[in-house]
Amino acid sequence: MCRHWAQCWGCKTTKTSGEMDKPLISRRLVDSDGSLAEAPSEAPKVGILGSGDFARSLTTRLVGSGFGVVVGSRNPKRMAGLFPSAAQVTFQEEAVGSPEVIFVAMFREHYSSLCSLSSQLAGKILVDVSNPTEQEHLQHRESNAEYLASLFPTCSVVKAFNVISAWTLQSGPRDGNRQVPICSDQPEAKHTVSEMVHAMGFTPVDMGSLVSAREVEAMPLRLLPGWKVPALLTLGLLVFFYAYNFVRDVLHPYLQEGKNKFYKLPVSVVNTTLPCVAYVLLSLVYLPGVLAAALQLRRGTKYRRFPDWLDHWLQHRKQIGLLSFFCAALHALYSFCLPLRRSHRYDLVNLAVKQVLANKSHLWVEEEVWRMEIYVSLGVLALGTLSLLAVTSLPSIANSLNWREFSFVQSTLGFVALVLSTLHTLTYGWTRAFEESRYKFYLPPTFTLTLLVPCVVILARGLFLLPCVSRRLSKIRRGWEKDGAIKFTLPMDHTLAQKTSHV
C-alpha cells in the first residue's frame, strides 16, 4: 500500500525547484474562518498528530505541495483557526483513520498518550519529527524515534524533518536547509517519505536504519561544531597579541616614562591587535597544505593517511580563513575611526604648536609619504582579495563554480592575498625592526612576530614551484609511489591506449 501511495503521488514530484522555493505564506492559506474544511478528496492524505508551531508550519508546506492534510488535536475547535483553511482539523481518533502517513509532531513525553490509538495506527507509517533537549539526549540511551517504534511495533517508524525549522517549512528551502536526513528500518516506508520530501521541495538524505536516529537527533543540538577549534584559536591569538601590545604600547611608557596611555586600550591597542591576528590566521590557512605536500614528498606516496591533527587542520581551513577576513574587516573599520578620536585631534594640535615654536613652515618627509601611500594601497588590495575569497566560500557561490575555478580562487588568489598582506606588513615595519628604540622591555615590534609563519609558507610555496620538486609532487598526486608498489603500464595496442583513462 505504501508503494502504491508513493506511485500515485509520483506525478506531483515533477514540480520545479523554483516553484518549491516560493514562500507558502499567503492570506489564502493562513486566513481561516474556523470551520473544519474538508481537504480535496483527490489529493493524497497525510495525518498530523499535534497542533504546535511546527505542526502548523508543516501543514502549510504540505497543503502548498498538494497534499490533503488532516490534523489531529485534543481541542480541534480552538485550534482550527490557526491552521490553513484547506486543512481538516479534527480529533486525534478521526485524524488517523484514512491517512497512510502520519506525522507525530509532539514531545517524547506525550507519546504514551497515543497508545489508545495503537489499533488504528497498525500498519501505518509514523514520521517522528521531534528533537530532544541536550539533557534528554544524554539521559536516554534510545532515540525518540526508537522509543516511538517500541510503543508501536506494528507501525513503520521513520525519522525525518527534525533538522528543518518551522520558518524554513513556511518560507521555503534555502541552500543548506534543503537537506532532510531520513532513517528507518523499513525501506518502503523510507521511500514513501523520501517521495514526500521531494514533493515538498527538499532533498532527502538516507541515513540508514533507525539506529541512526540518535545521530540525526543530535544534529540540531550542535552549535557550530566546525567552528569551535578555529574560534578558540582566534581567541587565543587575540588575547596573546592584545597582551603583547599592551605591554609594549601602554605599560612600558607608564613604567619607564611616567606617561599615562591607558586611553589607547579601547581603540588603538585593539586596532594594532586585529591585523596581527588576521595575518597569522591567513598564514595558518595555507600552512597545513605546505605540511601535507612536504609529508607526501618525504613518504613518496599519497596513499598514507595524514596525522589526525593535520587532517583536522585541513578540514578547518575554511573557518580559519573566514575568521581572518572578519578580523581584517574590523581592522579596516577601526582604522577609519582613528581620526575621529579626541586624542588624535589633540595630537594634531600639539604637533602644529611644536611646528610653530620650531619655526618650521613646511613639514614634509618624502620617505614617510611614500611609505604610507604604498602601505595603505597594499592593505586595500589585500582586503579586497580576502573579500573575494570570503564570498566564494559561500555555498551558493561555491556551487556555481567548477573545481578549477574554485581551486584558482581559493588557492592561487589566496596565496596572492597572503603575499599582499606580507608586503603590507613589511611596508608598515619598514626600518623599525632595526631601531633599538622599538624594542620595549627587549620585546621586538609586534609585526616581526607575525612575519614568521607567513614567510615560512611563502618560501615553501616557492620551493614547490621548482621544476624538480613540482614534477615529483605532481607524480605523487597522480598515484606514483617511491617504492614502486604501484606501476602504471599502458596497453601495447594504440587503440586501447587511447581509451585508457589518465585521471
Side-chain angles (χ1 to χ4, degrees):
M1 184 178 295
C2 297
R3 180 172 296 175
H4 172 73
W5 188 92
Q7 289 175 347
C8 75
W9 180 247
C11 60
K12 297 289 186 179
T13 62
T14 58
K15 289 187 177 183
T16 61
S17 60
E19 292 174 342
M20 290 294 99
D21 288 346
K22 295 179 180 178
L24 293 180
I25 302 177
S26 64
R27 294 188 62 84
R28 181 177 65 83
L29 291 178
V30 175
D31 290 347
S32 177
D33 56 0
S35 61
L36 305 182
E38 292 288 340
S41 58
E42 66 276 5
K45 277 195 175 183
V46 179
I48 297 179
L49 295 176
S51 53
D53 295 335
F54 190 86
R56 292 195 292 269
S57 300
L58 182 61
T59 302
T60 303
R61 170 58 58 177
L62 286 169
V63 169
S65 301
F67 291 92
V69 181
V70 184
V71 181
S73 174
R74 290 173 294 181
N75 195 335
K77 289 187 177 180
R78 187 179 67 178
M79 293 297 175
L82 302 177
F83 286 83
S85 57
Q88 178 183 357
V89 184
T90 182
F91 291 100
Q92 292 180 347
E93 295 80 3
E94 300 174 9
V96 300
S98 56
E100 291 299 322
V101 179
I102 299 174
F103 288 85
V104 182
M106 55 179 60
F107 293 107
R108 177 190 178 113
E109 56 264 27
H110 300 312
Y111 287 172
S112 57
S113 65
L114 302 176
C115 290
S116 59
L117 307 175
S118 57
S119 59
Q120 296 172 266
L121 293 173
K124 297 182 183 294
I125 299 175
L126 300 183
V127 183
D128 177 37
V129 300
S130 67
N131 277 320
T133 62
E134 237 177 291
Q135 184 178 359
E136 291 172 343
H137 184 71
L138 296 174
Q139 180 181 356
H140 302 294
R141 292 185 178 181
E142 60 180 358
S143 64
N144 289 358
E146 291 174 304
Y147 175 61
L148 183 65
S150 67
L151 293 178
F152 301 95
T154 59
C155 299
S156 299
V157 176
V158 180
K159 186 71 184 185
F161 287 101
N162 66 301
V163 301
I164 303 297
S165 65
W167 168 250
T168 302
L169 283 173
Q170 293 191 43
S171 61
R174 291 291 184 273
D175 298 330
N177 290 331
R178 190 180 293 274
Q179 293 186 344
V180 177
I182 300 176
C183 62
S184 176
D185 290 334
Q186 284 76 26
E188 288 193 2
K190 192 191 304 183
H191 175 74
T192 300
V193 177
S194 297
E195 290 294 326
M196 293 184 63
V197 171
H198 272 300
M200 296 167 69
F202 296 93
T203 303
V205 179
D206 192 346
M207 299 294 291
S209 63
L210 202 61
V211 178
S212 304
R214 184 170 177 83
E215 179 185 350
V216 174
E217 291 177 0
M219 290 179 181
L221 300 177
R222 299 167 186 160
L223 180 61
L224 303 174
W227 289 83
K228 183 177 180 180
V229 174
L232 291 175
L233 173 64
T234 304
L235 181 61
L237 289 174
L238 280 170
V239 171
F240 170 76
F241 281 112
Y242 189 87
Y244 192 87
N245 290 322
F246 166 75
V247 171
R248 283 179 43 82
D249 299 339
V250 178
L251 191 60
H252 181 270
Y254 181 75
L255 296 177
Q256 298 294 325
E257 305 172 19
K259 295 181 180 179
N260 186 353
K261 293 192 176 183
F262 285 90
Y263 66 89
K264 290 186 174 184
L265 292 177
V267 179
S268 181
V269 177
V270 173
N271 190 47
T272 308
T273 301
L274 286 172
C276 299
V277 177
Y279 186 36
V280 173
L281 286 176
L282 182 61
S283 64
L284 293 178
V285 172
Y286 297 97
L287 180 59
V290 170
L291 296 177
L295 204 57
Q296 288 178 339
L297 287 171
R298 182 176 178 273
R299 294 173 172 177
T301 179
K302 70 172 185 177
Y303 296 108
R304 290 179 59 184
R305 284 182 55 86
F306 294 131
D308 289 339
W309 61 269
L310 181 57
D311 190 47
H312 285 92
W313 193 353
L314 289 167
Q315 294 176 8
H316 287 101
R317 286 181 296 177
K318 175 183 175 180
Q319 290 85 349
I320 296 174
L322 289 174
L323 289 172
S324 171
F325 169 72
F326 175 70
C327 293
L330 285 181
H331 169 56
L333 292 176
Y334 269 91
S335 298
F336 279 120
C337 296
L338 288 179
L340 301 178
R341 298 176 305 154
R342 182 68 63 181
S343 58
H344 179 76
R345 299 179 185 180
Y346 287 153
D347 286 338
L348 287 179
V349 173
N350 291 334
L351 181 62
V353 171
K354 289 181 180 179
Q355 186 176 350
V356 171
L357 294 177
N359 292 324
K360 294 182 179 180
S361 59
H362 183 71
L363 183 61
W364 184 275
V365 181
E366 189 74 16
E367 180 182 343
E368 283 297 308
V369 171
W370 276 100
R371 184 183 71 85
M372 286 302 299
E373 295 292 326
I374 298 173
Y375 163 72
V376 172
S377 179
L378 289 172
V380 172
L381 290 174
L383 182 59
T385 311
L386 273 178
S387 303
L388 185 60
L389 295 174
V391 170
T392 53
S393 66
L394 298 175
S396 57
I397 304 298
N399 292 338
S400 64
L401 303 175
N402 60 37
W403 171 245
R404 185 175 182 182
E405 293 168 341
F406 183 80
S407 178
F408 171 77
V409 172
Q410 294 294 327
S411 180
T412 306
L413 288 186
F415 183 69
V416 170
L418 182 62
V419 172
L420 289 173
S421 301
T422 302
L423 294 176
H424 176 68
T425 306
L426 290 173
T427 310
Y428 169 80
W430 209 247
T431 59
R432 299 179 184 180
F434 308 105
E435 298 175 5
E436 185 178 353
S437 60
R438 299 291 179 178
Y439 289 77
K440 311 293 181 62
F441 289 135
Y442 301 101
L443 298 176
T446 312
F447 73 91
T448 58
L449 300 182
T450 62
L451 284 169
L452 296 177
V453 179
C455 287
V456 170
V457 174
I458 293 174
L459 290 174
R461 289 287 293 265
L463 290 175
F464 291 155
L465 293 177
L466 296 176
C468 57
V469 181
S470 177
R471 282 197 297 266
R472 183 180 177 86
L473 186 60
S474 179
K475 287 171 60 179
I476 291 174
R477 289 177 175 175
R478 291 177 65 86
W480 176 85
E481 287 192 296
K482 180 174 61 175
D483 58 3
I486 296 181
K487 298 180 180 179
F488 296 94
T489 57
L490 295 178
M492 297 300 295
D493 189 353
H494 178 68
T495 58
L496 291 177
Q498 289 180 334
K499 297 180 181 179
T500 302
S501 173
H502 297 282
V503 179

